[in-house]
């Protein structure tokens, strides 16, 4: 008796394979049926989600940059510029500043350091080539200009120039002694701009 050779194209083998494929999942096929319905995350949905994300980031930046400006929240350079005495003159010929007045008491026996509570007020620092503004208004004389220039300093003031401003010859600290700029591990000190 001759045996019939097994063929891989035999219908019984393919039927057995189909039965095994469907029987393990309770009669359901492992393969998902392909339908003509679009997926949930198609290009239109992704575009809308991206636009909403970008809009949210933009609104967040807008809210953080327009913080409530009050004496309790001095968070922007614009507020300091507007608060400076003679703001237009100060921004054009110098830089607005925050002036801190405090006293330091040093005792030697016993050695202690005491600091008074600082008072903060707006001020202005003039560039050295703009001192003529103070001279024209007769707020400083030639002797003060000469002394301040000899020490390579500049002038700063608090209070409006039309009233009785408090004008001081002030020294500009160089970047080598600024511990905020020279952090350990940094390569080189940053170059200061706008020397006054």
């Amino acid at each position: 008796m001759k045996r019939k050779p097994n063929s891989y194209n035999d219908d019984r083998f393919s039927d057995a394979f189909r039965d095994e494929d469907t029987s393990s999942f309770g009669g359901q096929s492992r393969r998902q049926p392909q339908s003509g319905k679009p997926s949930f995350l198609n290009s239109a949905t992704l575009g809308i989600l991206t636009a909403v994300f970008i809009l949210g980031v933009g609104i967040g930046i807008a809210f953080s940059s327009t913080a409530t400006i009050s004496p309790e929240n001095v968070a922007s350079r614009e507020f300091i510029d507007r608060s400076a005495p003679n703001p237009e003159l100060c921004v054009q010929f110098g830089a607005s500043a925050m002036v801190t007045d405090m006293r330091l008491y040093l005792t030697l026996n016993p050695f202690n350091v005491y600091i008074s509570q600082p008072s903060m007020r707006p001020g202005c620092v003039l560039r050295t080539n703009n001192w003529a503004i103070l001279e024209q208004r007769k707020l400083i004389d030639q002797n003060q200009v000469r002394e301040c220039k000899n020490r390579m300093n500049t002038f700063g003031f608090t209070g409006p120039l039309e009233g009785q401003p408090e004008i001081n010859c002030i020294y500009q600290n160089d970047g080598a002694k600024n511990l905020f700029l020279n952090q350990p591990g940094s390569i080189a000190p940053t170059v200061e701009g706008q020397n006054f």
Side-chain angles (χ1 to χ4, degrees):
M1 179 170 169
K2 287 187 176 181
R3 289 188 177 178
K4 186 177 176 181
N6 287 340
S7 170
Y8 288 108
N9 293 332
D10 190 10
D11 289 336
R12 288 179 293 162
F13 180 73
S14 60
D15 288 341
F17 182 71
R18 274 192 219 109
D19 289 343
E20 181 182 308
D21 190 30
T22 58
S23 64
S24 64
F25 290 96
Q28 296 179 354
S29 174
R30 287 185 195 167
R31 296 181 186 155
Q32 296 294 328
Q34 296 290 336
S35 63
K37 296 179 184 176
S39 68
F40 175 69
L41 292 175
N42 60 14
S43 60
T45 306
L46 284 176
I48 291 171
L49 289 175
T50 303
V52 168
F53 176 74
I54 291 172
L55 182 66
V57 169
I59 290 172
I61 290 171
F63 277 128
S64 67
S65 63
T66 58
T68 305
I69 296 175
S70 65
E72 296 84 25
N73 183 16
V74 181
S76 70
R77 192 194 62 169
E78 289 80 17
F79 179 75
I80 296 169
D81 286 345
R82 285 194 308 263
S83 300
N86 303 89
E88 296 84 16
L89 182 137
C90 187
V91 170
Q92 184 177 2
F93 299 111
S96 58
M98 292 183 287
V99 180
T100 305
D101 290 332
M102 66 180 181
R103 292 189 178 209
L104 186 134
Y105 296 87
L106 177 68
T107 61
L108 299 176
N109 189 15
F111 181 78
N112 281 315
V113 178
Y114 302 92
I115 300 175
S116 67
Q117 178 136 7
S119 64
M120 302 284 288
R121 55 188 164 158
C124 182
V125 177
L126 290 177
R127 293 186 182 92
T128 54
N129 57 351
N130 296 321
W131 293 351
I133 295 168
L134 299 176
E135 289 180 280
Q136 290 168 357
R137 297 178 185 223
K138 301 194 184 314
L139 297 171
I140 55 174
D141 57 18
Q142 284 295 326
N143 189 29
Q144 290 172 310
V145 170
R146 187 174 54 256
E147 285 180 12
C148 199
K149 198 179 282 187
N150 286 341
R151 294 180 295 195
M152 299 297 289
N153 295 338
T154 188
F155 284 102
F157 65 93
T158 59
L161 295 177
E162 298 78 29
Q164 293 182 341
E166 187 178 323
I167 301 172
N168 298 97
C169 181
I170 54 178
Y171 173 75
Q172 181 179 1
N173 185 18
D174 60 344
K177 295 179 184 70
N178 189 342
L179 299 179
F180 283 100
L181 298 177
N182 297 330
Q183 292 295 322
S186 64
I187 297 172
T190 58
V191 179
E192 288 188 14
Q194 293 190 355
N195 275 338
F196 283 77

